[in-house]
Amino acid sequence: MSSKQYDVLVIGAGASGLMTAYMAAQRGRRVVVVEKANKVGKKILMSGGGKCNFTNLYVEPENFISHNPHFVISALTRYTNWDFIGLVCEYGIEYEERKHGQLFTLNGAKEILSMLLSECDKTGLVDIKTNCDVKAVNAVDGQGFQVATSLGYFEVESVVVASGGLSIPTLGGSAIGYEIAKQFGHHVYPTRAGLVPFTFSDGFKEVTTRLSGNAVEATLSNDLNSFTEALLFTHRGLSGPSSLQLSNYWNVGQSFSIDFLPSVDLNELFKAKKQSQPKVLLRTLLTEYFPKSVVLELQALIWADMAETAIGNLSDEKLEHIAKRIHQFEVKPSGTEGYRTAEVTLGGVDTTEVSSKTMESKKQKGLFFIGEILDVSGHLGGFNFQWAWSSAHAASEYV
């Protein structure tokens, strides 16, 4: 079976793939989207706890990680967060702003997926095929591509690789996009899990297990970056926004620092309390700022030998040391939870070999790369979705 009824074949029916499909179809292009999973948009549906953090109010190039940081500017400038917010409003989708400018749907991620599918349907030029595995992509001299799939062959002018990365393989993550890139001579940066919880194998793991379910507002930092957001203790280690953000800037074998109370200068607080409440215990003082279970674990880690000593009987040097440990608590993860729970894949197709204007390969005419497959990863907070929308829009104008 050979099909010549399409102009464009999109690999992957996720955020960037569906966006490209409907926008290319609006230009009169006949599009087929092939998806290996049994349903489309699985990652959209589970994102943001099912509420889909679809973009952010404050999108800047600095919110993205890439070996070629200027690459994102062109696409983000031509299709902005406000463009996508406009589309969401056209559909009457209700949303709310949360911390740090994050925008979430009020009634569920299914509304974002329905919107994209509706836009595809309106054109009458988009076919979506699920349970469709890509077997081979071959360039045909001067005539585009022949794509072999489990549902037959497609002959098209353009191929758009929107297959995503390796994160959450149960939702369809695979290496097909990287294989296609390498086949056509592209350099692919090594990949690793990003926006992912940390795991521990030392004594600190026992601490996180006992504190599992507790969260505190903390600052996590290393030499590359620093994030102040919620820190969640888990049975395996550390999660929550601050951990996920820092995981993008961490490699195995490295340590990082936790400031458990960034909003308070503990050294100054201790000095003042030593004067005003000399009989108070440190743990009593700190229960104003932390859950009691967290205070007791910090006590065991930092000042166990003075647990029953009133603050008035502790030297200024000792109090300063305790304050410093709480503000700069060093930990060394053994690893992360890996692709199983990672929200993004770091690394990917080298963007110096892809046009920042069109997303077209500089090595193969008619071959386009968009979304997570590229060496572009956003911070937590809607930035990866915005990259999906913006890169899809850029490609859709040229496929």
Side-chain angles (χ1 to χ4, degrees):
M1 171 188 137
S2 180
S3 169
K4 294 187 178 182
Q5 68 203 74
Y6 304 105
D7 302 308
V8 182
L9 182 141
V10 178
I11 302 173
S16 60
L18 293 174
M19 188 87 169
T20 301
Y22 92 73
M23 286 189 154
Q26 285 175 343
R27 292 178 44 236
R29 306 293 277 161
R30 296 163 302 169
V31 184
V32 60
V33 184
V34 297
E35 169 58 55
K36 75 167 196 168
N38 60 344
K39 291 178 183 170
V40 302
K42 282 188 171 184
K43 209 167 172 187
I44 296 174
L45 292 174
M46 63 76 67
S47 65
K51 288 297 180 80
C52 190
N53 179 193
F54 58 85
T55 192
N56 195 289
L57 289 178
Y58 313 108
V59 178
E60 301 292 341
E62 293 72 35
N63 300 125
F64 298 86
I65 303 163
S66 175
H67 288 84
N68 176 23
H70 297 293
F71 179 80
V72 299
I73 295 171
S74 176
L76 290 174
T77 303
R78 286 180 293 129
Y79 190 88
T80 70
N81 48 346
W82 299 107
D83 291 316
F84 193 78
I85 292 166
L87 180 63
V88 167
C89 291
E90 271 181 48
Y91 273 78
I93 296 172
E94 294 182 85
Y95 63 88
E96 63 178 349
E97 179 188 352
R98 296 189 193 170
K99 278 185 177 178
H100 310 292
Q102 300 172 23
L103 300 186
F104 287 79
T105 63
L106 279 176
N107 299 312
K110 62 185 183 300
E111 293 192 330
I112 298 294
L113 179 57
S114 295
M115 175 186 79
L116 295 171
L117 293 173
S118 175
E119 287 292 299
C120 287
D121 288 344
K122 276 199 293 190
T123 66
L125 293 172
V126 178
D127 278 349
I128 299 171
K129 298 185 183 296
T130 54
N131 293 309
C132 184
D133 263 321
V134 173
K135 305 294 186 184
V137 177
N138 295 306
V140 181
D141 287 348
Q143 295 177 26
F145 302 86
Q146 185 187 70
V147 182
T149 78
S150 56
L151 296 180
Y153 291 90
F154 297 92
E155 291 176 11
V156 292
E157 291 175 30
S158 304
V159 169
V160 181
V161 181
S163 52
L166 300 170
S167 47
I168 319 185
T170 54
L171 298 182
S174 81
I176 182 70
Y178 306 119
E179 291 162 11
I180 294 168
K182 288 173 182 174
Q183 175 192 333
F184 287 97
H186 279 270
H187 171 242
V188 176
Y189 281 105
T191 56
R192 63 185 176 88
L195 296 180
V196 63
F198 291 110
T199 57
F200 293 82
S201 57
D202 58 9
F204 192 63
K205 180 182 186 295
E206 295 166 23
V207 175
T208 67
T209 299
R210 286 193 295 269
L211 289 177
S212 181
N214 280 283
V216 296
E217 191 80 2
T219 300
L220 272 58
S221 49
N222 61 12
D223 293 340
L224 295 176
N225 220 321
S226 177
F227 297 94
T228 303
E229 292 189 59
L231 172 68
L232 176 68
F233 297 95
T234 75
H235 286 291
R236 299 183 194 88
L238 297 174
S239 188
S242 58
S243 291
L244 300 186
Q245 297 278 39
L246 197 69
S247 71
N248 282 356
Y249 297 89
W250 177 86
N251 277 302
V252 174
Q254 296 177 340
S255 302
F256 62 82
S257 173
I258 304 173
D259 181 346
F260 283 107
L261 199 55
S263 60
V264 175
D265 183 334
L266 280 175
N267 194 34
E268 291 301 315
L269 177 73
F270 290 164
K271 281 182 184 174
K273 293 295 184 181
K274 188 175 178 178
Q275 298 300 318
S276 63
Q277 294 176 264
K279 293 184 178 179
V280 76
L281 296 176
L282 283 183
R283 65 169 176 268
T284 307
L285 188 59
L286 289 172
T287 48
E288 186 181 330
Y289 302 96
F290 298 109
K292 188 178 179 183
S293 55
V294 174
V295 174
L296 292 175
E297 292 293 345
L298 288 175
Q299 176 179 277
L301 289 165
I302 299 171
W303 70 96
D305 54 333
M306 290 158 292
E308 305 306 321
T309 307
I311 194 170
N313 295 329
L314 294 170
S315 68
D316 287 351
E317 290 75 22
K318 192 63 196 177
L319 289 172
E320 187 176 341
H321 171 74
I322 294 168
K324 188 175 180 181
R325 287 290 308 281
I326 296 172
H327 284 312
Q328 298 174 24
F329 191 84
E330 196 93 349
V331 295
K332 188 174 182 178
S334 56
T336 70
E337 291 190 8
Y339 291 120
R340 186 180 63 81
T341 59
E343 295 196 20
V344 296
T345 303
L346 298 166
V349 177
D350 187 342
T351 57
T352 60
E353 299 171 349
V354 176
S355 165
S356 63
K357 181 182 179 185
T358 67
M359 301 293 136
E360 187 173 20
S361 163
K362 293 179 181 178
K363 294 177 173 288
Q364 175 62 52
K365 182 174 169 52
L367 181 64
F368 297 77
F369 296 96
I370 59 171
E372 193 180 350
I373 192 70
L374 289 161
D375 174 38
V376 174
S377 300
H379 288 172
L380 189 72
F383 301 105
N384 288 294
F385 270 122
Q386 186 57 46
W387 176 243
W389 316 137
S390 297
S391 60
H393 169 265
S396 72
E397 295 189 311
Y398 295 92
V399 293

